[in-house]
Structures are given as C-alpha cells and as structure tokens.
Amino acid sequence: MCIPPFIRLIVKSSKTKPTKPNEAARPIGVFDSGIGGLTVVAALRELLPGESIFYIGDTARVPYGGKSQATIERYSVELAGLLLAERAKCIVVACNTASALGVPQLKLDLRVPVTGVIEPGAQAAVKATRSGKIGVIGTRATVNSRAYERAIEELDSELEVFSEACPLFVPLIEEGWIEDAVTDSVIARYLEKMLQHDVDTLVLGCTHYPLLRAAIQRFVGPKITLVDSAQNTALAVQKLLKQYKLTAPKKSVGKLQVALTDQSTGFLRVAEQALDLQVGDVLLRTVQK
Ligand code: DGL
C-alpha cells in the first residue's frame, strides 16, 4: 500500500506511544468520502455535546462507492493519519463503504480505537423489523462486500436481507439535488425492485442517504421504516470512549472543526442547515490522488 512517509510515521507512532492523561480532551476524529458523514457528526453532537470533533470529508476523491478494496483501504489509512495528526483520540469511519472495506486494516494499523457504521446500522434494522424482511441500499462497494448481510445474520440468522446498490445517489447528494424531479426518478428506478420484496425496514446503508430521507420515504410509502447508522454509531462511540477512559472532561464544551480535501462546495452549507450543525470556517487538507 503506497502511503506518504509522514502519514506512515503518524500511524506507526500511534501504535507505539502510551496513552497520556490529557488524551480525553482530544477530538474524536471522523471521516467520510464527502459531506455524508456529517449525518453521523450531527448525532454525535447531540449525544456527546462535550466532545470535540475533527471531521475530514474527502471531497477530492468522492465517490468511493465504485472503487476497489485496495484503493479504499489506502484512502482510509491516509485519512486516519491526517486525523491522528490532529491528535484524534479515536477514529469514527462515518462512511459505510470505508467501514465495509477499510476498517479491518485500520483496526490492525492503529492503536487508537476505531469504529465503523455497519454494525450500528445493522442493529437499528434488526430492532425495527417486524416482518423479518430487511432491505439495504448502499454504494456498489458496500453492497458487493455483503457486510450488512453478515452483520445482520450475526444478530439474527432468521432474517431475510435484500440489497440494492444505488450508485447515483452520492453524486446527486454532493450536487445538492435533494428535492429534485431527477433525483425522484432515480430513486424510483433503484427502489422499484425493493418494493417487490415486501420489506418493512429499509437501511440507508450510506451516510449520505439520510439527506434523501424525505424523498425516499415519499417513494416507499409510510409502511416502510427507514433506518440509518447515525444514532447507534453515536451510542457505540459513547461506549467506546467510556471503555477506553477517553470521555471528555465534565463541563467541557465540544467544538466542531471540518476539513475537506478539495475546495468547499456550496452544498456543505445546505447540509449544515439540514442537519442543524454549526460548521464555521472550513480547512483544507491535501491528499494523494
Ligand atoms: N458516505 C459514503 C458511504 O457511506 C459514500 C460513499 C461514496 O463516496 O460513494 O458509503
């Protein structure tokens, strides 16, 4: 895997340095391929207002969904290295694609705790279903990895899972086409087949998709429950911080810092409003192509 030397150094030293007492005051590091991971950030801010968050959206290389495992692993290690350079005390992979394909490598490489969004999403689905038929939508890479099938089966092997890749959703969302006739017809095209499976629960298996929640719900109708990973991921992070004694000191007020790997798009501001987040000034971080 071709990782720049300074990132390799940071990742390596994170594996060898002992935990320091002030580590709990450090930010939670969160990354996604773009702005979709802000849906997870919104849930983290709500549950853990005392925690600071450093978020990196890899807007220079979005979307990840059609890329190979080797590429997604390389991107994940590089972004985690950038977050460790910001003194992140743990890493939250707020991207289903990178969770499915990059988290195993990160768990091997990093000393800080790492969590993805697949297991939390699977838990939400298992809790919500009554009929035992669950639909999962995500990027092509996430769907091909069958990570949701495995995670759901581990929780309850009786459940049936039907998956559908929706590769055009991420570019439409990054473009800001949230309420748009073109997006509505793409939703209809991808989800028609899903309706025939008679699922009662649909997992939004990509952290971008909650931004299309209203449009998707309109198409599938009120009888299908839409679930996503955001809240359960926030709960998993809360547990992780307690387990590693990394919870921010009492009374601390958490800050949110957002960095992108390419210039900020106008849609960041739309997402900021939709998710009720205060993003403020956006930093720029450089990644390899
Ligand atoms: N938010 C990412 C995910 O959850 C989008 C992946 C992509 O960039 O295609 O999978």
Side-chain angles (χ1 to χ4, degrees), residues 17-248:
K17 272 186 194 154
T19 307
K20 291 194 185 125
N22 66 348
E23 237 174 47
R26 294 176 175 185
I28 296 171
V30 183
F31 77 82
D32 177 44
S33 61
I35 45 84
L38 289 175
T39 57
V40 175
V41 168
L44 284 168
R45 296 289 287 157
E46 200 176 321
L47 185 70
L48 306 168
E51 298 290 344
S52 289
I53 294 173
F54 196 102
Y55 177 90
I56 301 184
D58 195 3
T59 45
R61 302 184 293 199
V62 68
Y64 282 11
K67 297 193 166 83
S68 68
Q69 168 142 20
T71 299
I72 292 166
E73 272 180 1
R74 177 164 62 84
Y75 290 177
S76 300
V77 172
E78 190 179 7
L79 294 172
L82 291 174
L83 289 170
L84 293 175
E86 302 297 335
R87 299 164 47 84
K89 60 184 173 184
C90 68
I91 304 290
V92 180
V93 181
C95 171
N96 286 264
T97 310
S99 296
L101 299 171
V103 161
Q105 187 65 43
L106 289 182
K107 284 191 170 166
L108 287 176
D109 283 0
L110 307 184
R111 183 190 169 100
V112 298
V114 177
T115 185
V117 288
I118 304 274
E119 281 77 17
Q123 282 160 7
V126 171
K127 200 169 162 205
T129 187
R130 295 288 163 260
S131 70
K133 289 184 177 194
I134 298 172
V136 176
I137 53 173
T139 66
R140 208 165 259 144
T142 300
V143 167
N144 289 345
S145 76
R146 301 188 63 78
Y148 269 101
E149 278 85 343
R150 283 197 302 278
I152 291 171
E153 193 182 352
E154 222 160 88
L155 295 168
D156 185 343
S157 58
E158 303 284 292
L159 302 177
E160 269 186 282
V161 182
F162 303 90
S163 303
E164 191 67 45
C166 305
L168 290 177
F169 283 2
V170 169
L172 286 169
I173 293 165
E174 292 276 335
E175 195 58 30
W177 292 17
I178 301 299
E179 285 297 336
D180 191 285
V182 171
T183 306
D184 286 345
S185 71
V186 174
I187 290 173
R189 174 95 175 250
Y190 282 137
L191 298 189
E192 237 163 57
K193 218 161 69 200
M194 187 60 83
L195 292 185
Q196 290 162 18
H197 294 307
D198 217 16
V199 299
D200 73 342
T201 303
L202 183 63
V203 183
L204 305 180
C206 169
T207 52
H208 281 70
Y209 296 178
L211 291 159
L212 286 186
R213 182 181 287 272
I216 293 174
Q217 190 81 69
R218 226 175 13 247
F219 178 74
V220 299
K223 288 195 183 135
I224 295 184
T225 307
L226 303 185
V227 298
D228 64 60
S229 311
Q231 279 167 351
N232 276 1
T233 300
L235 287 168
V237 173
Q238 185 182 44
K239 206 167 138 194
L240 203 71
L241 295 179
K242 273 192 197 147
Q243 185 188 340
Y244 285 86
K245 299 193 174 23
L246 287 172
T247 305

